[in-house]
Amino acid sequence: MWNQMRRLTIALAFIFTACMPLWAAAEDAPPTNLFPNPSAEEGGEMPNQWNHFTNDDTTFARDASVGHTGSASARIIVGPKGAAGFPSFNYMFEQVKPGEEYSVSVWVKGQGVKNNWGPNMTVIFFQGDKRLEPDISGDDIGGGDRDWTQLNTLAIAPKEADRMLVVMGLYGEGTAWFDDVSVVRTNVMHALYEGSELSLSVQEDKVLNEHFIGFGAHGDYFLTTPRNIKRGVDDRDREMINRRIESMRPGVILVFFNFKWWEPEEGKQTPDSDEMKDLAYWLRFLQSIGTTVVLTPWGDNFAYADWMGWDLSKFPSREGGPSASLAPKLPPAEKQPAVMRSLADAVQYLRKDVGVTNLKYISICCEPDNDNIRRTDPEEFVGMLRMLDKELRARNLREDVQLLGPHASGGGATSVSRYIKETMPLGKDVMDVMTVHTYSHQDTRLLPYWLRSRMDYLKQLEPSKPAKPLMIAEFGYGGGTFENTENHKYEYGLFLADFGIVAAREGASAVLMWCLMDTYYPVERPDGDEPKQLYGLWRFRDEGWRPRPGYFSWSLVNRYTKPDSKVIAVDVQPQAESVPAVAFLSPQGELTVMMANRGGQDIQVNLQAGASHDRTLRRYEYSEQTVPTPEGMMIGASGVLRAQAGKTVTVALPARSFVLLTDMER
């Protein structure tokens, strides 16, 4: 969730800008660069028509001695006191129309930049003076000294948008130059489907993914630990929650791991700690319902035991006091082999002693690229993966578990992140699955671009081999790690289904939302508070475990797909971007069809469910008329459709809804 740290300052930038109308051009005219004075050639001390948002200890100027093309560029010099203010050049465009697509790029150069990201670019849309979510992040070039590099992104104007701010800034100390800015309105228009009828055809011969791992969630349990028990959680609560999860039947659950639970002192392992017993209980339960598990140490220093080499007094906080906030994200080099040995020991204990053979995926660090100050060195990261690979092979476990990487969270909204490009080529022989996170795709219209860039990158990485699977290990929007201000809304549930459909259609092999349920975590914040998860599909015990809207849609998505299913294309005619659809064919030949309607009017769908089989499909509907259900139960079937091979059947797709059809018996 790295973008959120800079949004407050970016959001203020528009106050200080001038405006430019985006006048319509003839359809057959060549693309027009709408950014004024794009190469900063015009101007004196400052480039003409460029605006800027400043703060203390920052200097803006037109540099007539440095240019990518021509002789000049726009320059920002940021001192130590200005490092956190995100000083930026920016420009506000007026008369933006909803659904317009813009291709935005800029050439940037950095010198002496003391952060991980370096110069970067963001596009923000407004309705009047109201900033609209989400920000559209571009790439970054990294810290230190970096030569001219082009940053790119696509941006789509939300339905309320009438203004667009292009921001080019430097979050951190150092010097950055910006040149050859391009803002081009493309020929693509993203509009809601306005018709009342569509034809959908399941294309059985067009397999998009031969082996879909599954839908699921990040899901920590902790309901048997003291900090949840003292809040009243008992066996009846656990039984109710377990039955709810069993009914939901997630395909994949990612759980966090903390070395303090397992090996608080070097050589002293504690499988009987409260947290390890809770983890074993949780993994056994997930195995009993057929759910695959991903295990990852959560973050960095707060997941490591003290013996792993941390002397936090050496790492002052950003405010100056002793803290972990500036400590490296990986253990010291001399401790890295022991840390990976400890993780391999834990995997061996869980798989062989506890017997949870559903533990099939391992990561070494969550979001190694999520901090602009603390760099995770790509070579060290891959080196630790190799250490874990060696340890697992020594225990005859490497064939049983797959290694994930790089668990990246940063980068642009439509492009492959720099950290992926830095780590994947180094570790492609030990990374079995590429894992990524996104909190930048509340507008799912950008999601295909983001996924296609990653799928294409995987194909190019090893062109002679089948592309590695891609796992979206976290996605969502609306909050921080624990808090969420949006997931109580109906729209959030529709977003989850919409995201899942598009992600599977575009090639993702696993799609995990953040996160399964509210619970108290066995970690402490600096103020001594015990964090309570508020991002879950349902609330905690003090609110009666009541489901949020996302539970009703995401439980259907999970329940009616099976591991190792084939993902099948669904043809939509006429083409309608706002009506995404996809199908799944289980190993047993069962069919599930998912479709969403983002628009505001009902649609009649003429569905051909395939040419090879007659099918009896049960219908499940997530709409404003069907949720919440009585007593928070899963959505039940609202009808049965008899679909003959090669013939169409009529399906009602209400406005702003998600409909699932299946002949799967669960």
Side-chain angles (χ1 to χ4, degrees):
M1 303 181 187
W2 65 275
N3 281 327
Q4 298 186 30
M5 290 188 286
R6 54 180 176 156
R7 285 181 176 172
L8 289 177
T9 47
I10 293 176
L12 297 174
F14 80 96
I15 298 172
F16 303 97
T17 60
C19 304
M20 175 183 179
L22 295 178
W23 302 110
E27 291 187 4
D28 57 351
T32 300
N33 186 0
L34 301 166
F35 198 93
N37 191 19
S39 295
E41 296 299 314
E42 302 170 8
E45 293 185 1
M46 293 287 291
N48 289 348
Q49 301 189 71
W50 289 50
N51 306 293
H52 62 277
F53 171 64
T54 189
N55 57 292
D56 294 339
D57 205 12
T58 303
T59 302
F60 293 83
R62 174 178 175 268
D63 191 332
S65 64
V66 176
H68 172 253
T69 60
S71 61
S73 62
R75 185 188 68 209
I76 304 175
I77 301 176
V78 182
K81 294 181 180 179
F86 198 76
S88 61
F89 285 106
N90 51 73
Y91 201 89
M92 180 74 83
F93 295 92
E94 295 284 351
Q95 299 186 11
V96 169
K97 295 179 181 179
E100 288 180 330
E101 180 183 277
Y102 294 90
S103 175
V104 183
S105 65
V106 59
W107 286 85
V108 300
K109 178 180 178 178
Q111 181 176 304
V113 176
K114 296 181 180 180
N115 68 34
N116 281 341
W117 300 334
N120 48 66
M121 171 183 65
T122 302
V123 178
I124 308 172
F125 287 99
F126 292 85
Q127 181 185 35
D129 289 347
K130 177 186 176 183
R131 179 173 139 268
L132 304 175
E133 294 284 357
D135 295 350
I136 311 302
S137 56
D139 302 320
D140 62 81
I141 65 170
D145 297 336
R146 304 275 178 163
D147 203 358
W148 288 108
T149 305
Q150 189 178 38
L151 307 182
N152 300 275
T153 193
L154 286 173
I156 301 171
K159 62 181 180 181
E160 306 93 348
D162 54 24
R163 310 170 81 197
M164 179 178 73
L165 184 71
V166 175
V167 180
M168 299 161 288
L170 176 61
Y171 187 84
E173 185 179 351
T175 303
W177 291 265
F178 303 87
D179 199 0
D180 293 331
V181 186
S182 176
V183 178
V184 173
R185 185 173 55 247
T186 73
N187 292 324
V188 178
M189 184 70 179
H190 300 262
L192 295 174
Y193 180 66
E194 296 181 348
S196 60
E197 187 173 354
L198 279 172
S199 294
L200 271 64
S201 177
V202 176
Q203 300 178 294
E204 294 172 316
D205 59 342
K206 189 173 181 181
V207 178
L208 303 175
N209 191 332
E210 289 282 356
H211 303 286
F212 188 69
I213 297 170
F215 291 105
H218 163 87
D220 293 313
Y221 197 70
F222 302 140
L223 296 182
T224 72
T225 60
R227 65 188 56 202
N228 280 296
I229 292 174
K230 75 179 182 182
R231 291 176 169 87
V233 175
D234 57 23
D235 287 341
R236 289 173 297 178
D237 295 312
R238 287 185 284 270
E239 178 66 19
M240 186 276 293
I241 293 300
N242 291 354
R243 297 291 73 77
R244 177 178 286 177
I245 297 168
E246 182 179 24
S247 296
M248 179 179 169
R249 206 175 293 273
V252 187
I253 290 290
L254 184 150
V255 298
F256 278 143
F257 174 79
N258 190 316
F259 288 95
K260 298 182 184 74
W261 309 341
W262 166 246
E263 193 170 345
E265 300 176 29
E266 188 167 11
K268 181 182 178 181
Q269 295 175 346
T270 53
D272 290 330
S273 69
D274 291 329
E275 292 79 14
M276 285 301 296
K277 288 192 292 186
D278 180 87
L279 180 62
Y281 173 95
W282 179 222
L283 268 58
R284 284 193 189 103
F285 169 73
L286 292 174
Q287 180 164 264
S288 74
I289 64 172
T291 299
T292 296
V293 169
V294 180
L295 185 75
T296 183
W298 185 11
D300 40 79
N301 48 39
F302 50 83
Y304 298 134
D306 292 343
W307 66 266
M308 293 177 174
W310 292 104
D311 181 357
L312 298 184
S313 65
K314 296 180 179 179
F315 304 107
S317 72
R318 292 171 174 86
E319 292 73 36
S323 171
S325 67
L326 295 183
K329 294 176 73 67
L330 298 179
E334 66 272 15
K335 289 294 185 180
Q336 290 172 8
V339 173
M340 291 297 94
R341 184 272 307 155
S342 182
L343 181 56
D345 286 348
V347 174
Q348 178 176 345
Y349 165 73
L350 290 168
R351 281 192 59 94
K352 294 189 175 181
D353 295 352
V354 178
V356 285
T357 55
N358 58 324
L359 173 53
K360 296 181 180 180
Y361 298 94
I362 311 294
S363 177
I364 66 167
C365 180
C366 182
E367 297 188 348
D369 60 337
N370 71 352
D371 195 305
N372 75 308
I373 300 297
R374 299 183 299 147
R375 175 171 169 75
T376 305
D377 182 83
E379 292 188 0
E380 281 195 66
F381 181 86
V382 173
M384 288 181 66
L385 268 177
R386 295 193 186 284
M387 295 173 196
L388 181 58
D389 173 77
K390 181 179 179 181
E391 293 286 351
L392 292 173
R393 291 185 186 280
R395 294 161 175 76
N396 295 318
L397 288 172
R398 189 60 177 93
E399 298 300 317
D400 300 323
V401 297
Q402 297 191 48
L403 298 185
L404 308 181
H407 235 83
S409 64
T414 60
S415 56
V416 179
S417 74
R418 175 174 50 84
Y419 198 73
I420 289 174
K421 294 178 180 178
E422 289 175 341
T423 53
M424 289 295 295
L426 294 174
K428 61 187 178 182
D429 57 321
V430 290
M431 295 183 192
D432 303 304
V433 179
M434 184 168 87
T435 41
V436 292
H437 298 179
T438 177
Y439 291 86
S440 300
H441 292 92
Q442 176 181 345
D443 185 345
T444 56
R445 295 176 299 180
L446 287 172
L447 184 58
Y449 298 102
W450 185 80
L451 277 165
R452 289 169 193 169
S453 70
R454 283 154 175 73
M455 298 302 298
D456 289 344
Y457 180 77
L458 285 172
K459 292 173 184 175
Q460 296 165 9
L461 189 65
E462 298 179 283
S464 63
K465 298 180 180 180
K468 296 180 185 296
L470 184 146
M471 175 185 292
I472 301 177
E474 289 183 24
F475 80 92
Y477 72 86
T481 300
F482 294 103
E483 298 80 16
N484 189 300
T485 60
E486 298 293 323
N487 65 346
H488 66 286
K489 298 177 182 178
Y490 172 84
E491 289 78 5
Y492 199 83
L494 182 58
F495 157 77
L496 292 180
D498 179 13
F499 188 104
I501 291 170
V502 175
R505 185 192 69 192
E506 297 298 331
S509 291
V511 187
L512 282 59
M513 56 85 64
W514 178 280
C515 62
L516 183 64
M517 62 180 175
D518 290 4
T519 184
Y520 279 88
Y521 275 59
V523 296
E524 291 186 2
R525 289 172 166 161
D527 59 6
D529 187 25
E530 297 175 343
K532 177 185 179 183
Q533 183 59 260
L534 297 172
Y535 228 113
L537 293 175
W538 53 83
R539 297 164 176 84
F540 189 63
R541 184 181 188 275
D542 56 356
E543 296 183 77
W545 306 110
R546 286 187 294 114
R548 296 188 174 96
Y551 165 73
F552 299 105
S553 59
W554 199 241
S555 61
L556 291 177
V557 168
N558 281 260
R559 182 175 176 83
Y560 295 110
T561 50
K562 287 185 176 180
D564 214 30
S565 291
K566 294 181 179 180
V567 183
I568 308 296
V570 176
D571 182 55
V572 181
Q573 293 296 332
Q575 293 184 4
E577 181 187 37
S578 59
V579 187
V582 75
F584 298 84
L585 195 63
S586 77
Q588 293 76 34
E590 301 150 315
L591 179 70
T592 294
V593 182
M594 301 181 192
M595 62 191 88
N597 179 7
R598 302 176 194 146
Q601 83 175 42
D602 298 348
I603 298 174
Q604 175 184 302
V605 173
N606 301 311
L607 174 70
Q608 185 188 91
S612 60
H613 293 85
D614 293 347
R615 295 186 183 273
T616 300
L617 302 172
R618 295 187 311 284
R619 169 195 170 89
Y620 299 85
E621 176 185 309
Y622 175 88
S623 68
E624 291 172 294
Q625 291 71 46
T626 63
V627 297
T629 65
E631 299 182 1
M633 303 296 289
M634 279 186 63
I635 293 173
S638 59
V640 176
L641 304 173
R642 312 291 181 185
Q644 293 181 302
K647 296 184 178 180
T648 60
V649 61
T650 300
V651 181
L653 186 57
R656 300 173 63 247
S657 73
F658 160 58
V659 169
L660 182 147
L661 308 172
T662 187
D663 60 0
M664 184 181 298
E665 296 291 344
R666 296 298 288 259

